[in-house]
Amino acid sequence: MTLGISVPAGLELIKAVQLHKSFGSISVLNGIDLTIKSGEVHAILGENGAGKSTLVKLLSGYENLSSGSISVQPLDSEDAGDLLKRFVWNQKTAEALNVILIHQEFNLIDELTVAENMFLGAERLRHFSVLGLRLLDRSGMDEIASKYLRILKSNIAPSDKVGSLSVAEKQLVEIAKALSKNPRVLILDEPTAVLTEQESRILFTRIKELRSDGVAVVFISHKLEEISALADCVTIIRDGNQVGCYKVSELSKDKMAKLMVGRELSKLFPSIPTPASKSDLAMSVSALEIEGNDSVSFELKKGEVLGFAGLVGSGRSALMEALVGLRRAKRKVVFIKGTKIFIKNLADARSNNITYLTKDRKGSGLFLEKTAAFNFSLFALKQFSHWFLDAKTELKAFLRALNLFDVRVKDLEAGVSRLSGGNQQKLLIAKMLETAPEIIIFDEPTRGIDIGTKGQIYRLLAELTQKGCAIIILSSDMNEIIGLSHRVAVMRGGQLAGILEGEDINNVEIMRYAAGLKKQHSKN
């Protein structure tokens, strides 16, 4: 089945020359050259803040060039000599030439159905010549939407309201929407950041089919193994400058990482000393029960990293949300340093020195249109005020945090939506830690983050444990769980399948518990 417009392989579809982009006095991209060919997967690689998303927004017409040129092959030509420089290049022009971008941020309206979102602005109409009426062809739109959702092997119904979907399902809707437009150039900005491994494999199969049909695919990913497995060539950019364009077959993952960050990467996972067997308990949780699930019990020591692993839907996030008061618990008993506490809401958790880092930094972690300083101060206002807010103390703490967490903010007056994903995540961590919590729960702490920023966050976790903080990590990244955790709690179906330690912390053993092949009684 042809998913896009069939084009002979090797034809130059887009040629970008010396692309520059500035926002006011701030330069984001400096002289990028890029050639996109049919039948090729072209990866864009760089650290968070390198300018990758800005680059693909230029290629797809969502941002205007500051300088440089973009030439595009006309739809009705397969002659390489017909490549035309585009003096007007915007989203409308790009989509008319079947250049389609799937954004890193969703462009969906929660109140509309899946089909209504997929055809928004391009609705299909039914004509009734006798009455002169034109009505929405809902059945036709539902049929087409269903076809492209089936291509992605999704069970989402066209009539489902987008607001009822999970983050991963919304990403699949975005991909189906793009495929329905018959792309000739398909640009994907971090498409797998929220997908499961199975969903990612299905997407990769579709991308390979598109490549076979001659469609050009531009693919941004922080996951070096994805680029190695999928891409034909990779353009690497660093701090807005082009490092080079390389054949993927000629680069090892280590070489890619070095070119991306401009330095040799030290050991990714730092050494975190194991807490002594007699270390004080930071927290004891017993009989934590969510409606419909068995109760869960576990203990957490000072200076310990306790990982929570499990397949998608295993209940890890729901369990921690119930612990900190974001979700109703049928029953829970929590002791902090031997004292029983009661947590009805997130404010109760914070007052007991427990902080929770959400996995949805854009949806519930940050106010994207507000400044970095505004976001940073939200949980720590008491520290910066007596009767009135002490703006000087607040600013001093904010600037110290920017330096400590290496948050790169080019414009202090801009909303944090302008920050890269990695800088947003580091700002969120700085915000959560400013209140000096003793127990920290990280839910997917490095999702969508480049390898250099991951290393920074891992070293921060190690430093926190050395100060006596107790840490819980929920992660879909098995290497992250294994590399950081002293013990690993494996969840399955909302229940605790087992707690592993020592040599049992490995991929095979974790998967056995996650898949239901093994189960043990709770071991704290």
Side-chain angles (χ1 to χ4, degrees), residues 275-306:
S277 58
K278 295 183 179 180
S279 292
D280 292 339
L281 281 180
M283 179 171 65
S284 174
V285 177
S286 61
L288 176 51
E289 184 178 346
I290 303 173
E291 190 70 43
N293 293 330
D294 291 344
S295 64
V296 172
S297 301
F298 62 90
E299 292 180 345
L300 180 66
K301 297 177 182 177
K302 287 185 177 180
E304 180 181 29
V305 178
L306 175 61

Side-chain angles (χ1 to χ4, degrees), residues 220-466:
I220 292 180
S221 176
H222 288 118
K223 300 174 183 176
L224 301 180
E225 64 275 11
E226 290 183 353
I227 291 176
S228 293
L230 196 63
D232 299 294
C233 60
V234 56
T235 291
I236 299 175
I237 55 178
R238 187 194 313 143
D239 297 327
N241 299 297
Q242 186 165 355
V243 177
C245 182
Y246 309 87
K247 290 183 178 179
V248 170
S249 60
E250 297 175 355
L251 290 180
S252 66
K253 289 193 283 289
D254 284 344
K255 182 66 174 176
M256 273 192 265
K258 182 183 176 184
L259 288 168
M260 178 176 71
V261 302
R263 60 189 182 276
E264 292 285 357
L265 288 173
S266 56
K267 184 181 176 184
L268 187 59
F269 296 107
S271 176
I272 304 178
T274 303
S277 58
K278 295 183 179 180
S279 292
D280 292 339
L281 281 180
M283 179 171 65
S284 174
V285 177
S286 61
L288 176 51
E289 184 178 346
I290 303 173
E291 190 70 43
N293 293 330
D294 291 344
S295 64
V296 172
S297 301
F298 62 90
E299 292 180 345
L300 180 66
K301 297 177 182 177
K302 287 185 177 180
E304 180 181 29
V305 178
L306 175 61
F308 271 76
L311 302 175
V312 172
S314 62
R316 294 167 299 172
S317 293
L319 185 74
M320 292 303 146
E321 288 171 358
L323 174 61
V324 300
L326 288 173
R327 181 186 293 261
R328 184 178 178 275
K330 187 176 179 181
R331 188 165 54 118
K332 68 180 169 188
V333 180
V334 181
F335 285 84
I336 300 291
K337 298 178 182 177
T339 301
K340 188 175 181 179
I341 64 167
F342 298 91
I343 302 174
K344 294 181 180 179
N345 50 49
L346 196 57
D348 288 343
R350 286 203 296 268
S351 68
N352 285 283
N353 292 317
I354 303 172
T355 193
Y356 172 73
L357 184 92
T358 175
K359 64 182 174 183
D360 184 11
R361 62 176 176 261
K362 294 180 179 177
S364 54
L366 297 169
F367 289 95
L368 295 180
E369 300 311 312
K370 297 293 186 179
T371 65
F374 176 92
N375 277 279
F376 169 76
S377 300
L378 276 180
F379 288 165
L381 286 175
K382 287 184 179 179
Q383 295 172 211
F384 308 135
S385 59
H386 299 290
W387 290 103
F388 300 99
L389 181 66
D390 185 343
K392 186 176 180 180
T393 301
E394 179 190 25
L395 178 60
K396 185 177 179 181
F398 171 61
L399 295 176
R400 183 182 67 244
L402 292 188
N403 181 61
L404 179 63
F405 294 95
D406 191 28
V407 184
R408 301 173 188 179
V409 181
K410 294 183 177 179
D411 183 355
L412 293 177
E413 299 302 318
V416 297
S417 60
R418 284 286 187 187
L419 299 182
S420 68
N423 282 310
Q424 287 179 353
Q425 188 73 342
K426 287 188 286 186
L427 176 63
L428 182 56
I429 292 172
K431 165 187 170 181
M432 308 306 279
L433 297 185
E434 183 60 22
T435 56
E438 296 176 0
I439 298 168
I440 308 162
I441 303 169
F442 290 96
D443 196 347
E444 302 288 357
T446 64
R447 172 179 283 172
I449 302 301
D450 67 76
I451 193 168
T453 305
K454 279 187 178 183
Q456 288 180 314
I457 292 175
Y458 296 158
R459 289 190 291 276
L460 169 64
L461 297 185
E463 291 170 6
L464 289 169
T465 62
Q466 290 168 14

Side-chain angles (χ1 to χ4, degrees), residues 126-159:
R126 298 171 69 182
H127 298 266
F128 295 90
S129 56
V130 176
L131 299 175
L133 296 176
R134 294 194 304 169
L135 300 176
L136 286 176
D137 182 8
R138 293 189 179 278
S139 61
M141 290 191 293
D142 284 353
E143 183 179 346
I144 294 170
S146 181
K147 179 180 78 169
Y148 286 98
L149 290 166
R150 286 198 305 272
I151 287 172
L152 296 171
K153 300 190 184 301
S154 169
N155 294 321
I156 301 168
S159 58

